[in-house]
Amino acid sequence: MIETPSLVDQYCHGVLRTELGLGTFEAQLSRTEGPPAPGTTFFDTQTGFAVRRWCPPLLGLEPHSPPARYLARRRELGVLESGRRLLRGSGITTYLVDTGLPGDLTGPAELASAGAAEAREIVRLELLAEQVADTSGTVESFLANLAEAVHGAAANAVAFTSVAGVRHGLALAPEPPGPGEVRGAAGRWLAARRVGGELSDPVLLRHLLWIAVASGLPLQLHAGLGASEARIDRTDPVLLTDFVRATAGLGTDLVVLHAYPYHRHAAHLAGVFPHVYADCGAALVRTGARAATILAEILELAPFGKILFSSGAQGLPELHVVGARLFREALARVLGTWVAEGAWSLPDAQRVAGLIAAGNARRVYGLG
């Protein structure tokens, strides 16, 4: 009885424009450092089972269709038509798109067109800095151009996002680095890097975060499981506590993305600090049939006006579908149980569902 008529996906990426074989499709299902172990498949995961449950009906097949049959149907329809059917069947009406990943991925406008939805851009800070470095000849020009680039991006983007936790870890010194410290770090990084080299210097990462904070746009911070190269012990959102305190009262909201398996820690931060929000997206995609348990744990600690839905999807339109369907199912199961037990009223449950599904994101990101 709990309805979520529209969803704002507050963090996702575009989808691949190319046809995929079994191996390349499987590689997109799981963020690992290699192929599945011999004799195994990434379809035998919670995410793989969720794809087989929710996606085949959108392409005219029975739920739980075998992977080979599903992919054959996908190829029969073609990448554009299958993507259109999947995205439009997700129920997502607004996508906030991180455009900072490499690869042949659709941008916000193309994703919006395919999904018959709206889309806005999220700017990845580290990629922005790397692009500025590629066209700046000196330390002084790099720093000046970086500040100008962040300012310019803020005029069109809906938020900034940072992968500092992936690149270095979240245990960064909380205060802004001094000008001399920034110039020194920039000089060392520019001298050592090749064109296309990634930014991982902790001083420059802190500098980027504080430039973003000064812009006033919401700042998304990746935590928990994510890229395969990340050390998970360095991505616990609790490590952000001092930075969170340092940014309190400055007018910039912080959104802790993903966070699993530290989702309760993200929920705690959202409960303690007025400017911190917790994402409940990628954790549900990873846990599949256990998604309701994870969502209930987030709802234990975070105020209901501080939780936002996302799919965290990238590459496969199937992941947008799975993110949306698992979220809806988990939310209905958790809140519906509390209504049936008499702990919540149905009107309150419906109101909270609307906040998490779309209302909170519309407020935080100024979507109207």
Side-chain angles (χ1 to χ4, degrees), residues 291-307:
T293 301
I294 304 303
L295 181 60
E297 290 172 349
I298 296 172
L299 288 163
E300 289 173 359
L301 295 171
F304 310 131
K306 307 289 290 299
I307 305 170

Side-chain angles (χ1 to χ4, degrees), residues 193-257:
R193 80 185 291 269
R194 300 174 181 176
V195 172
E198 290 188 344
L199 174 60
S200 59
D201 181 90
V203 173
L204 293 181
L205 291 173
R206 287 163 54 208
H207 181 58
L208 270 178
L209 293 178
W210 279 99
I211 295 177
V213 167
S215 77
L217 283 185
L219 173 58
Q220 301 174 337
L221 300 163
H222 290 245
L225 293 177
S228 59
E229 67 269 19
R231 280 275 303 272
I232 190 171
D233 57 318
R234 297 175 181 172
T235 60
D236 186 336
V238 162
L239 299 172
L240 287 167
T241 302
D242 290 340
F243 177 74
V244 167
R245 285 201 176 96
T247 56
L250 299 182
T252 296
D253 290 328
L254 307 179
V255 182
V256 182
L257 292 177

Side-chain angles (χ1 to χ4, degrees), residues 76-313:
E76 178 185 339
L77 291 170
V79 65
L80 294 178
E81 177 61 16
S82 59
R84 186 187 69 83
R85 292 190 186 193
L86 290 163
L87 291 171
R88 295 186 181 195
S90 71
I92 296 170
T93 56
T94 303
Y95 297 96
L96 306 187
V97 187
D98 175 0
T99 55
L101 283 184
D104 187 24
L105 299 175
T106 56
E110 196 173 349
L111 190 67
S113 177
E118 299 178 358
R120 299 288 300 277
E121 183 180 11
I122 299 167
V123 171
R124 184 173 291 207
L125 290 169
E126 292 78 12
L127 177 63
L128 187 64
E130 290 154 7
Q131 291 171 336
V132 169
D134 289 340
T135 57
S136 299
T138 66
V139 170
E140 289 73 19
S141 65
F142 167 69
L143 294 176
N145 293 341
L146 180 60
E148 184 178 346
V150 172
H151 178 74
N156 299 306
V158 73
F160 288 111
T161 192
S162 171
V163 289
V166 176
R167 298 286 182 86
H168 178 270
L170 295 176
L172 294 164
E175 68 278 355
E181 194 178 3
V182 172
R183 283 194 298 272
R188 291 189 296 274
W189 180 58
L190 292 173
R193 80 185 291 269
R194 300 174 181 176
V195 172
E198 290 188 344
L199 174 60
S200 59
D201 181 90
V203 173
L204 293 181
L205 291 173
R206 287 163 54 208
H207 181 58
L208 270 178
L209 293 178
W210 279 99
I211 295 177
V213 167
S215 77
L217 283 185
L219 173 58
Q220 301 174 337
L221 300 163
H222 290 245
L225 293 177
S228 59
E229 67 269 19
R231 280 275 303 272
I232 190 171
D233 57 318
R234 297 175 181 172
T235 60
D236 186 336
V238 162
L239 299 172
L240 287 167
T241 302
D242 290 340
F243 177 74
V244 167
R245 285 201 176 96
T247 56
L250 299 182
T252 296
D253 290 328
L254 307 179
V255 182
V256 182
L257 292 177
H258 313 326
Y260 184 80
Y262 306 116
H263 48 287
R264 277 177 163 143
H265 294 177
H268 164 73
L269 291 176
V272 171
F273 297 98
H275 66 306
V276 177
Y277 292 78
D279 171 55
C280 66
L284 307 188
V285 175
R286 283 182 175 269
T287 53
R290 294 279 294 169
T293 301
I294 304 303
L295 181 60
E297 290 172 349
I298 296 172
L299 288 163
E300 289 173 359
L301 295 171
F304 310 131
K306 307 289 290 299
I307 305 170
L308 302 96
F309 159 74
S310 78
S311 68

